[in-house]
Amino acid sequence: MKQLILNGIWNINQRGKEKQYDVKVPGSVLSALLEAEAIPDPFDGRNEYLVREIFRNDYIFQRDFHVSEELLKEENIELVCEGLDTLAVIYINDKKVFYAENMHRTWRIPIKEYIEPGINNIRIEFLSVLNFIDNYVYKENKEVKYVAAGAMKGNQLVRKSHSMFGWDWGPQLPDAGIFRDIYLECWTGRRITDIEFLQHHRQAEAELQIKTVFSCTGTLCENQKLKVVISDKQTGETVAYKEDNLGSVLQCENTFTVKNPKLWWPNGYGQQPLYEVVISLLDIDENVLQEQKKTIGFRTLEVSREKDSFGKEFAFKINGIKIFAMGANYIPEDCVYSRITKERQDYLLECAKRANFNCVRVWGGGYYPSDTFYELCDEKGIIVWQDLMFACNVYDATESFLENCKKEVEDNVKRLRHHPSLGLWCGNNEIESAWSHWPDFQTETLNLKADYIKLFEHVIPEVMRKNAKDTFFWPSSPSSGGCFANPDDENNGDAHYWDVWHGQKPFTDYKKYFFRFCSEFGFQSFPDIKTIESFTKPEDRNIFSRVMESHQKNDAANGKILYYMSENFRYPAKFDDLIYISQILQGMAVQYGVEHWRRNRGRCMGTLYWQLNDNWPVASWSSIDYFGRWKALQYMATKFYARKTSSLIKDNHNIHLFVENETAEKVKWKAIIRLKDMDCKIISEVIKEGNTESFCSKEAIEMDLEKFCLNEYDTWEEKIFVESSVIFEDGTSTHNVEVLLPYKYMALKKPVIEKSAEETKDTFILKLKSNTFAPFIELKFEDADVIFSDNYFHLTGDVYEVEIKKQDILKGKFNSTDDLLQKLQVRTVADTY
């Protein structure tokens, strides 16, 4: 197998204009025109709307490439396009060879008859998807009226990332171009076209079945061999080896028994040992004709749907153990997909791992990430809930559309199914629920509802049965199993809960629900002030300015943040203080939900908050903003997603302390609840020692506050707070703080905070102490970006240490501890008014 790589510098021009620009492929219209400074930055101010209109034009990408006489001797030459976005007419030497119409597919196009020795030309004309949508003619009873929040009408007509047309967190920038690798593959005779792995586990051994499928043309398929080598990626040790003479077969099945395989576990439950499988096609002289490498992990991974006293559970079961899934929803990291590099993916997923994630959901309105994304999830132990790329839309299931979708799903299932991190496939995001009861969906025709059944409960499940035998398939999210059977059933399947936020219910509303698995819930905040400064001028820095509202895609959401602020905090004195308080609100909201559901482990078996990341600088539900800056929520997640953690819950005048143990061992602990005044003096305390069984949540201790309540007019609640500690047998500990009234009513004092710092070879160590209760301490630097070991924590009288690893100084530098302390900015709630 020979390859001719076509990545590199191409030329691009708008149809009808002579001006050409260089474009580095993988690349797009946006990446080229931004590099050439031919358009304004769409992320700045309100430029999004101006830049959006350039996509009413067609764009032409082209380049020359050289083909040798030797390459032309091969029987087969295919153009392989791993990512064409989206309506693409392909020409070789001015001859039309193909029309592609799906950015989610890998296209393989025979082109030998079109190329010649020497210089050749490839031209790809990307047609305007906006013009396509404007000119689309619906058939009778098939016109779709529904438009997803924040999106452009008609986005469902094109197999392109829906969120490129806008969403309630992203801009309307329907880019076009070659966003993944493009190359020629040339061969004679047999070629490996597919590899499938199936695992069967028995005590102390695993049986691995490998099915290799070939295509074969011409007469050179005889006298070839297939060699399979399985090795431990960490040690390099070969654990299995086999060679087969292929003869004329087009399919080869091998079964290997691996003794005592190292099992792959999610983050926090064990290690992530990986094995490399090298499959080589050899000629009679042992020369390698083609080689494919796949990384696998030995594990069993299923979704348990057992019936119980509550209904039917929904739980990931790994190597026989049911785990509590903890994580968030993932969206594309950028609007310009060629900017989604391995380095950015690695950073984001490492941040998820550091916050104790064991799962991410790849949401169905974006795209299927690159192979690198899943390789990183394999390495970091992050289970992938993989939506297919259908979300919040009504689809006209024509025969050509169904065939296109079928091939799309086949492509991606075959590409990704070997990854140990792949936890489940899900048919779509929220469409079953929408057809069940969303008011706007009820105005669509029954013909279109029938199309939903055809696509998501017949065509796609059939593809899955054939190609994804080892992976659980779920028809929609939320769902109780399909067929519109109460898809939002609290006691069956997964749930999306949005009454806190969209319904403006208080955080305490989470306590009313005991979902089996909550795969979406969330709360918005503004990004870091430095992120806001990247797209605003000083006069724009008001949450109701046109620019700030343009960087808020959820209708009236800035006002919603202000509403929740008014319920919980005093109105901030400055714009920057308002940003800070919004992030605290977001963290408090999500924490309340997660802690409630973890306390009910067994009934609820997973929480994935909305959302992990952003695709541009914006006010949104993310815990990490576009520039990779951690919001308060990301820091709080490191605690509420810890394997051993604790939580406080207030019930009238009783305070309850729970211990959550998501480990395989019983844990012993000492639990303390203290009632303190604003000067951090202890008024009362209760102490208890005990243990919590493995994979269990248990109430450890409670404190009755009724004796401190004098009468309903007394102000004692304004002047006290509750602090808890759980010290585990291994010396680790958790800490929680609860107040009895909203923070806006608390008699907080302006703190005096003592600060000192030490430096080691790899770390700066900060020590902080306050003379009064100082909730939600924020640490930051105006001219540096760092990840702290903790942030948005409470100072309650004791010295608190925070580490800054030098590798976590992402931007800026500190010449000494004095320099660090001089630059350090510290803020608490009492500083905001």
Side-chain angles (χ1 to χ4, degrees), residues 37 67 95 147 400 446 511 689 729 740:
E37 299 183 347
V67 177
K95 294 178 181 176
V147 182
S400 61
L446 292 178
K511 281 200 304 183
E689 293 187 0
E729 190 176 29
L740 307 183

Side-chain angles (χ1 to χ4, degrees), residues 647-777:
S647 61
L648 283 172
I649 186 70
K650 181 174 61 174
D651 179 18
N652 293 320
H653 287 112
N654 286 323
I655 295 288
H656 304 268
L657 174 61
F658 281 74
V659 174
E660 286 80 49
N661 179 20
E662 190 63 19
T663 76
E665 305 293 332
K666 178 194 290 187
V667 295
K668 294 182 179 180
W669 42 256
K670 178 181 179 181
I672 307 168
I673 301 179
R674 292 189 174 102
L675 187 66
K676 290 185 172 183
D677 66 17
M678 288 295 110
D679 294 324
C680 303
K681 293 178 181 177
I682 298 172
I683 300 170
S684 180
E685 70 177 6
V686 289
I687 302 174
K688 182 181 177 182
E689 293 187 0
N691 61 72
T692 302
E693 296 292 334
S694 62
F695 304 115
C696 179
S697 176
K698 173 184 176 181
E699 183 173 357
I701 193 172
E702 69 173 292
M703 174 182 275
D704 184 357
L705 302 179
E706 186 139 17
K707 62 184 177 181
F708 301 100
C709 180
L710 301 179
N711 59 64
E712 62 179 308
Y713 303 108
D714 190 66
T715 60
W716 69 280
E717 293 174 309
E718 301 172 13
K719 301 170 185 176
I720 61 171
F721 67 96
V722 178
E723 178 186 30
S724 69
S725 299
V726 176
I727 301 97
F728 296 104
E729 190 176 29
D730 62 3
T732 60
S733 60
T734 65
H735 303 273
N736 303 88
V737 166
E738 184 64 79
V739 292
L740 307 183
L741 296 172
Y743 277 96
K744 65 181 180 179
Y745 296 139
M746 297 302 295
L748 299 176
K749 299 178 181 180
K750 298 283 185 181
V752 175
I753 297 175
E754 299 174 16
K755 303 181 288 290
S756 63
E758 299 173 5
E759 182 177 5
T760 69
K761 178 183 176 183
D762 302 316
T763 308
F764 288 102
I765 301 170
L766 288 169
K767 296 183 178 180
L768 303 103
K769 188 176 188 296
S770 174
N771 66 332
T772 184
F773 174 46
F776 301 108
I777 290 287

